[in-house]
Amino acid sequence: MGIQSNYVRSVLLFTSLAFAVSWSIPRHVKRIFQLQPTVQQVQFPVLGGTGFDLSQATIPVREIQSGGPPKDGIPALSNPKLVSAAEASYLGPSDRVVGVVSGRESRAYPLAILNYHEIINDRIGELPIAVTYCPLCDSAVVFDRRTPLGEREFGVSGLLYNSNVLMYDRSNAESLWSQIKGEGVSGPGARMKLTVLPMELTTWAAWQARHPNTTVISSETGHRRNYRTSPYAGYFQQPNLMFPAKPISNALPLKERMIGVWDDTAALAIPVSAFAGKSTQIEKSLGSKKFTVAFDAKDQTIRVVEADAGLQWMNTFWFAWYAFRPGTEIAGR
């Protein structure tokens, strides 16, 4: 009887903990957003476990902050279940998705999923990719998981730099990688660049119209989340930041949506305001390389539709782009 009682108590405790973890992200976001707390600096002197070796970090260790959830507290997904567009009933036409095309395959990664997981390790055909999204920066970047250290799977470290997610690779060394910098910032991966792949951040309806045979990530992720609601809705509705970033520029509203385009020598910000509220396309160049950006006034989406080889891009908020690339130019300025 005693053994059975202990077993029942253990099951109940595990169930309660699982329920608490499943709701930890939205509750944490709401709490820190309302309280605007002092930033938590972190010190992780050892490698492995819940910490990372920062002894050879290429970014200021004092500016690395705890985002709240611990390592893997925001669980990245790997090899997600896929469904057809018709089966993705949890998505509405205006829901935003990260769209990726490789060869003849097209796939959508909804922000409804990425809000709660931030990284999706996937493979399109033979191409291993990491679809990444940082809700604090509204930054969407797709990386080739074939790094200079070999193919890697990425997880969410629980740490931030300039309000932007620090990823880690699931290897013995666990290097940290900055999403917006697109490179390693600690461990064996330090200063190594990740290859950024073409993508677009658009609406589910627009993506389906351009790619009717697309597949999409299923809401059956193995995690208990309400993918029909966003824990960051309040954050997007007002101008303040949750965590500091520097330097800061007021040349544009901090949270103005934009696309940043760059190559090895220059960077250009194309904000939504550059289109004066009209659905149109503009042609730009970086050096001798040309690209075309389209804006949809109805959906308020901005995407690269054509670009010369050697150019890379990401969608993000202005404050985050400027914090990492203060030498950027702004289209139309």
Side-chain angles (χ1 to χ4, degrees):
M1 184 67 178
I3 295 176
Q4 289 180 339
S5 298
N6 289 336
Y7 173 76
V8 171
R9 283 196 295 269
S10 297
V11 169
L12 289 174
L13 177 60
F14 177 81
T15 302
S16 299
L17 287 173
F19 181 81
V21 169
S22 73
W23 290 100
S24 63
I25 297 174
R27 286 182 176 178
H28 175 76
V29 170
K30 182 177 181 181
R31 179 174 59 83
I32 63 176
F33 181 67
Q34 290 176 337
L35 296 180
Q36 295 289 319
T38 301
V39 172
Q40 303 174 57
Q41 294 182 350
V42 293
Q43 295 181 350
F44 289 136
V46 297
L47 178 69
T50 58
F52 300 89
D53 183 2
L54 301 179
S55 60
Q56 302 298 320
T58 62
I59 56 178
V61 173
R62 290 183 176 274
E63 295 177 19
I64 297 175
Q65 303 145 17
S66 168
K71 173 186 173 185
D72 292 326
I74 297 175
L77 300 180
S78 293
N79 304 312
K81 179 180 178 181
L82 306 175
V83 295
S84 68
E87 295 173 296
S89 59
Y90 72 98
L91 290 175
S94 63
D95 287 348
R96 293 196 297 163
V97 303
V98 176
V100 182
V101 175
S102 179
R104 296 182 178 180
E105 294 189 56
S106 56
R107 190 163 300 161
Y109 299 85
L111 297 198
I113 301 289
L114 284 162
N115 275 329
Y116 290 90
H117 299 284
E118 299 194 5
I119 301 172
I120 300 177
N121 297 284
D122 198 10
R123 192 177 298 271
I124 300 184
E126 298 299 316
L127 180 64
I129 65 173
V131 180
T132 69
Y133 178 68
C134 179
L136 297 174
C137 301
D138 198 35
S139 51
V141 193
V142 177
F143 297 109
D144 189 329
R145 292 195 287 113
R146 296 171 296 186
T147 78
L149 299 173
E151 185 175 316
R152 290 290 186 266
E153 178 180 290
F154 292 95
V156 182
S157 71
L159 305 177
L160 302 170
Y161 173 63
N162 271 340
S163 194
N164 181 242
V165 61
L166 288 177
M167 314 180 296
Y168 78 94
D169 65 66
R170 289 172 172 163
S171 64
N172 291 333
E174 296 186 327
S175 297
L176 289 173
W177 304 76
S178 167
Q179 184 212 29
I180 292 183
K181 281 177 71 69
E183 68 177 53
V185 296
S186 78
R191 294 187 175 86
M192 292 185 178
K193 295 287 187 180
L194 293 171
T195 299
V196 176
L197 299 173
M199 50 71 69
E200 62 179 79
L201 181 56
T202 187
T203 64
W204 177 226
W207 179 256
Q208 285 186 87
R210 288 191 289 272
H211 304 279
N213 296 319
T214 188
T215 53
V216 60
I217 305 305
S218 169
S219 60
E220 296 178 11
T221 63
H223 298 272
R224 186 177 179 180
R225 301 290 188 273
N226 182 1
Y227 295 120
R228 294 179 184 272
T229 64
S230 170
Y232 296 91
Y235 176 72
F236 275 69
Q237 291 170 0
Q238 56 80 55
N240 296 332
L241 305 183
M242 253 188 225
F243 295 90
K246 64 179 186 181
I248 285 288
S249 167
N250 293 315
L252 297 169
L254 296 183
K255 291 182 182 176
E256 179 161 350
R257 289 178 179 171
M258 52 153 285
I259 275 185
V261 181
W262 75 96
D263 63 8
D264 293 336
T265 60
L268 180 65
I270 304 96
V272 166
S273 57
F275 298 85
K278 299 178 181 179
S279 294
T280 187
Q281 296 185 1
I282 58 175
E283 295 182 358
K284 292 292 180 181
S285 61
L286 280 179
S288 61
K289 302 183 184 73
K290 297 181 180 180
F291 62 95
T292 303
V293 179
F295 175 67
D296 187 315
K298 177 182 177 182
D299 296 335
Q300 293 291 296
T301 57
I302 181 171
R303 61 191 179 93
V304 172
V305 296
E306 188 176 5
D308 288 345
L311 292 177
Q312 302 177 90
W313 60 88
M314 69 173 67
N315 290 71
T316 187
F317 281 148
W318 163 246
F319 86 84
W321 175 257
Y322 186 83
F324 285 92
R325 290 180 173 85
T328 189
E329 295 185 11
I330 304 175
R333 299 293 180 93

